[in-house]
Amino acid sequence: EEASMSYIGRFTYDYMSRYLVEFAFREDGSYRYAPGARWGFFPVVSVGYRISEEKFIKDNLTFIDNLKLRASYGIVGRADFGVNLYKYYMGSGNSYYFKDTPASQSGMTEKQIAVDGLTYEKSHKLNVGMDFMVWKKLSLTIDGYYDHRTDILVDGGNAISSVFGMTVPKRNDGVVNNYGVELMAGWNDRIGEFSYQINGQFSFNRSKIINMNEEYRPYDYLERTGCRVGQIFGYEVEGIYKNQEEINQREVKQYLSEVRPGDLKLKDQNGDKRIDQYDQVAMGYNATCPEIYYGFNLGAEYKGLGVLAQFQGVANYSQVLDTRSVYRPLINNNTISRYYWENRWSENNPNGTLPRLTTLGSANNYNNNSLWVTDASFLKLRTLEVYYQLPDKWLR
């Protein structure tokens, strides 16, 4: 059985369309929290100042159609995680041998301890912006924002020693910061019977993990804390072993799996002369979502005949290749691409840029590494429309 309740309110004040103030709030209650801790209050306040409504603008700078400064700050909450996290409960588990003829008897064990002070995840959002229009043709909107997320529910096990002896519940310890900027600009004009428009949008967002109850890592470069959300980690590729002699002569040894000619040569990051899980580093951008989104529209019309094109693009975006015919051909009956076939290492092609072919797999080659982490940026033509608008007199 699930139950939730919300109270929502908003108060606005407008003085001569010049000074604008708004206060909004919501108070949420959720069954996911313990009695006495089920309610969360989340306020928002925003202000605006339409400078273009001032007399000195209207009288002296008539080409300015709109100039507005605005700012807002608010908190929002989230409670869409699992249920009963605040409860302590027992369950079957473990066993012991009893009686003269020992027989195993099942017992009870602690399954979960209650989360102390379980609360809503919160996002503290600050936004400042400006709206601007001149000559009734050029429009511009600029927004800058900062999002401080706190009380994110993360695993608690990494923050508690294993000597504790139980499954540690999740805790509201996670903290992530986001900041960015959004821009929108447009120009719409008409010259006689010819009209045209150019509009564009751009947004940039970067995240940083402040705390995630990260497990202990022996080297700083292995830590996820301080990185972007979704940051890719992997091995840095220095080349491909051309022959067995090169493998034997290399002082650094790889312990991921048996090394054979045609395997990737990975970089030793910590100088211990061995390649293992401690040699992974951050590479590329995050694989969760692009840091940059942008797009633009181009349109023109003359006497009813027009064209409209919409472009969309992303940047600062990385992905680990999962094209099976390129990434791991012949494994699990995958096919092989001509590109891989022509560029693979082989005895006849010792200078190949891709690893050897195998049907058995190889931990040296088929992992997250700089060869497979690729730039996923793109720019595409999303829509192209050509049209003719029939004259009104024809329709009448």
Side-chain angles (χ1 to χ4, degrees), residues 231-243:
Q231 176 68 59
I232 300 173
F233 277 77
Y235 298 95
E236 187 176 345
V237 176
E238 293 187 312
I240 294 179
Y241 289 107
K242 295 181 180 180
N243 49 56

Side-chain angles (χ1 to χ4, degrees), residues 222-255:
L222 294 172
E223 294 180 357
R224 274 58 173 169
T225 303
C227 295
R228 304 173 179 89
V229 175
Q231 176 68 59
I232 300 173
F233 277 77
Y235 298 95
E236 187 176 345
V237 176
E238 293 187 312
I240 294 179
Y241 289 107
K242 295 181 180 180
N243 49 56
Q244 186 64 43
E245 182 181 2
E246 186 176 354
I247 297 174
N248 296 337
Q249 291 179 349
R250 191 186 185 198
E251 187 177 358
V252 176
K253 304 302 180 183
Q254 296 184 191
Y255 291 90

Side-chain angles (χ1 to χ4, degrees), residues 66-84:
N66 181 39
L67 176 57
K68 178 182 179 181
L69 302 179
R70 47 188 168 74
S72 64
Y73 175 78
I75 304 173
V76 296
R78 175 185 177 189
D80 58 352
F81 42 78
V83 300
N84 297 327

Side-chain angles (χ1 to χ4, degrees), residues 133 137-141 184-188 197-200:
M133 176 173 279
K137 298 175 182 178
L138 175 63
S139 61
L140 177 66
T141 297
M184 290 189 295
W187 176 274
N188 294 271
Q197 58 175 302
I198 304 173
N199 299 289

